[in-house]
Amino acid sequence: MADEQEQQITTNVVEEPLDLVRLSLDEKIYVKMRNERELKGRLHAYDQHLNMILSDAEETVTTIEIDDETYEEIYKTTKRNIPMLFVRGDGVILISPPTRGV
């Protein structure tokens, strides 16, 4: 019975897609961007275009290079830490809220 009440409360709180993002304010989130970029950071603000302000952000960029001799794909990742970051919403593909304990 408690599970039904929790489900009803969650259903009532999340009515639109941006409500899920709202619930992630001041939480760590994962953002997948265009051009093989990924961000992890604490969400401080966002708008309807998914422009976001992240703090303590870690950017991971994956590049694919092709070996000239073997023609094999070589994946390289580069990481950097950014204390405060503005993310433009038109580059966002996916936002994942933090996972909650079961």
Side-chain angles (χ1 to χ4, degrees):
M1 183 156 168
D3 290 341
E4 289 179 16
Q5 289 176 343
E6 281 184 31
Q7 187 175 6
Q8 287 176 348
I9 291 170
T10 304
T11 305
N12 292 338
V13 173
V14 179
E15 295 177 356
E16 298 178 9
L18 287 179
D19 289 343
L20 193 59
V21 178
R22 179 179 48 82
L23 292 175
S24 299
L25 281 171
D26 284 332
E27 300 277 348
K28 284 282 215 177
I29 63 168
Y30 167 80
V31 183
K32 183 166 177 64
M33 304 287 293
R34 291 183 183 176
N35 299 324
E36 304 299 324
R37 294 178 183 269
E38 299 174 353
L39 300 169
K40 292 178 186 173
R42 184 168 303 279
L43 178 65
H44 286 280
Y46 71 96
D47 65 11
Q48 70 273 15
H49 304 290
L50 288 181
N51 296 321
M52 294 178 276
I53 304 291
L54 299 177
S55 68
D56 301 323
E58 179 184 71
E59 178 187 41
T60 304
V61 180
T62 303
T63 55
I64 303 171
E65 296 178 3
I66 302 201
D67 189 305
D68 291 335
E69 296 175 7
T70 63
Y71 298 104
E72 290 182 12
E73 293 181 344
I74 301 169
Y75 292 87
K76 293 185 179 179
T77 59
T78 306
K79 292 186 179 189
R80 68 178 179 154
N81 292 314
I82 306 165
M84 191 63 73
L85 178 66
F86 174 83
V87 180
R88 187 168 174 194
D90 68 347
V92 174
I93 296 172
L94 174 141
I95 299 174
S96 175
T99 55
R100 308 228 189 264
V102 177

